Amino acid sequence: MDDRQFRNAMGKFATGVTVIATETDGQVHGMTANAFMSVSLDPKLIVISVKEDAKMLHKIKESNHFSVNVLSCEQQEESMIFAGQKQPEEEFQFDYLEGVPVVRNALVQLSCEIYNEHVEGDHTLFVGRVTEMELKDGDPLIFNCGKYRELKEMESVSN
């Protein structure tokens, strides 16, 4: 199997869309990511995956904190901005949670501190201990087969 074939196969798995954010030297840095999952309830741990050549890798290590922001279906533009696919019309404004930058109006904002990290292949997995969170109602932004999508409820199957 080649790299493209593997990427296409992984793209079949529908995921939510997040923006990971951190701050170093008074500058906020963000990146779009869909490699995110919960790990533990006690303690409350999550994991994100950051490619070895991403600028964000060293920013997270330097700050020792990051946020995970689960985007709503109205936040495709934010996803595209932090994926480097679109330029913002004006400087992006972040809110703060426990001193960590978060994306305004995200469905979920998680403030995390690095709990552990593991280098695996060409990525670093950051395990974050969740120190604070905010939740909002709404539908998530979905990514599948290289396209943004919306969540749709299916009719239940009766016996």
Side-chain angles (χ1 to χ4, degrees):
M1 86 189 96
D2 65 16
D3 289 352
R4 179 77 261 165
Q5 184 182 29
F6 184 73
R7 285 181 65 105
N8 290 345
M10 295 302 99
K12 297 285 185 189
F13 184 71
T15 66
V17 181
T18 70
V19 168
I20 309 302
T22 194
E23 185 173 26
T24 59
D25 300 324
Q27 290 278 98
V28 178
H29 309 276
M31 74 171 213
T32 297
N34 60 2
F36 157 72
M37 68 177 195
S38 63
V39 174
S40 169
L41 283 174
D42 186 20
K44 290 170 182 54
L45 302 176
I46 56 88
V47 67
I48 61 171
S49 179
V50 181
K51 195 169 183 195
E52 68 181 16
D53 61 358
K55 295 175 190 170
M56 186 60 118
L57 180 73
H58 302 292
K59 304 296 183 187
I60 291 173
K61 286 183 178 194
E62 184 179 332
S63 71
N64 203 45
H65 290 87
F66 60 91
S67 68
V68 178
N69 303 271
V70 177
L71 300 185
S72 76
C73 61
E74 290 92 25
Q75 293 181 300
Q76 180 179 337
E77 184 172 333
E78 285 90 332
S79 174
M80 294 174 77
I81 288 169
F82 292 104
Q85 299 168 333
K86 184 174 185 174
Q87 289 298 320
E89 293 179 16
E90 53 191 47
E91 185 176 342
F92 193 86
Q93 297 298 311
F94 287 88
D95 287 341
Y96 284 82
L97 184 64
E98 291 280 307
V100 180
V102 292
V103 175
R104 187 172 292 156
N105 296 320
L107 291 180
V108 178
Q109 301 167 331
L110 301 174
S111 173
C112 304
E113 63 183 16
I114 295 176
Y115 185 82
N116 212 330
E117 63 183 83
H118 305 274
V119 175
E120 302 296 340
D122 60 1
H123 280 65
T124 295
L125 304 178
F126 288 103
V127 179
R129 186 177 70 79
V130 178
T131 58
E132 188 62 64
M133 72 175 200
E134 292 287 331
L135 292 162
K136 293 190 183 344
D137 287 332
D139 287 329
L141 183 61
I142 304 294
F143 199 73
N144 175 251
C145 294
K147 295 184 175 134
Y148 291 102
R149 303 183 188 267
E150 290 185 49
L151 189 63
K152 180 176 115 179
E153 189 172 339
M154 296 174 66
E155 292 183 30
S156 61
V157 177
S158 58
N159 298 2

